[in-house]
Every structure is written in C-alpha cells, then in structure tokens.
Amino acid sequence: KQEVTQIPAALSVPEGENLVLNCSFTDSAIYNLQWFRQDPGKGLTSLLLIQSSQREQTSGRLNASLDKSSGRSTLYIAASQPGDSATYLCAAPYNAGNMLTFGGGTRLMVKP
Amino acid sequence: DGGITQSPKYLFRKEGQNVTLSCEQNLNHDAMYWYRQDPGQGLRLIYYSQIVNDFQKGDIAEGYSVSREKKESFPLTVTSAQKNPTAFYLCASAKQGEITEAFFGQGTRLTVV
C-alpha cells in the first residue's frame, strides 16, 4: 500500500523567498502524482499533475518535479507571496482505481 | 461552470441520527470518491465508485454508506454506527484511466451536537 510523507509539516518564510516543499512516497509504480492547495475550511484545489513520463511540470510560479526511482516529488514556489499562505498536499495513487493516498500536508505561511 | 458541488456546507448531527451529505458533479467523470479530513491530518478514503451502481470500501468505511444511482451523484450517509463523525468531508471525482486528475468539492463540515 502507498504511503506518502510530507516534510516539513509547517514552514514560515518572509515574502519574496523561493521555497521547496518535499513529498516522498513508498510505491514508485505510479502513473502520476498530484499537488493540491487547501485554504482553511475549504476544499482542495489542484495545482499540478505530473505524469510518470514527465520529470517536471510548471504553472506560473510553481514548479513540481517527480523522481520515481527515489520516490520523491518536490514543489518549488518562486518569489513567494502572502497569498501563497495555505496548506499544500501531495497525493499519489495506489492502485488501478486511482485512489489517492495523501501526505499530511505542509502548512505554509508567507509573512509580508 | 463545470465542477463538484457539495451540500450542505455545515451540518449538525444529534447522537444516534443518520445524516446524508450530498455530492454532485457535472464533469462527466466516471469515478467519484469520499474522503474524511480530521484537524491537522491528511485525507483518508471512505468509499469510492468507478461506475454507476458499483462502489467499494476505502480505508475507513465502517459507519458510512453510499449509493451511486446516477453518474452525477454520490451521496454519503453517516450512520449512527460511526462513533466519531465530527470531521471535514470532501468529495472528489476523476476520469477513468491511468493518468487522471482528481477534482474536489468545497467540503462539508459535520459536527455532532
């Protein structure tokens, strides 16, 4: 069964910093990995989906990488802004039904 | 606009009562999922359905029931057998296939009173 871990659990940075969020998974036989953002009391917003055939995926200031062999994915946020403050979750599927296993999330605070 | 709609946003349940959470999608997705989120924790899978009239238990199905009579709808019932139902419930949907992106609703917060 898939297990997903996210480090760090919480992160506080000043505005403008570049930062990296880490995600590790135990079963490397995945077709894709997805990163989400969750604001307090809200649902999940899909940020990036990385297919197993890709190594990187970019959307604006966000860049996600995937290394299946090492069981790791990273989410890079460039020039962080206070509006980036949220919890970031990564999720990997664990069988053909594409049920997602989630990490515990990284709670990010960007201070003005 | 296409998307997933969950209702109600807030729900209060008395002891011994069954309550039903609604989830509707107009994305024409075959697969639908219910997750539970507890404070400070990740999401855990309750039930999922890959096709109409079929559904499977997830990791924490005890005390919950679902139905999938229509492609667009996947309601979740929290029964009195669920001893600790206070949580944030999230519904998701996705296309079938190996490479598929999941989309989530805005959640229902259930509180036992």
Side-chain angles (χ1 to χ4, degrees), chain A residues 6-25:
Chain A
Q6 290 187 247
I7 296 173
L11 184 62
S12 180
V13 300
E15 181 177 5
E17 271 203 10
N18 302 325
L19 54 99
V20 175
L21 307 182
N22 296 294
C23 172
S24 61
F25 49 92

Side-chain angles (χ1 to χ4, degrees), chain A residues 24-37:
Chain A
S24 61
F25 49 92
T26 55
D27 185 351
S28 61
I30 58 172
Y31 294 112
N32 59 69
L33 184 138
Q34 199 166 351
W35 282 92
F36 296 89
R37 168 183 173 142

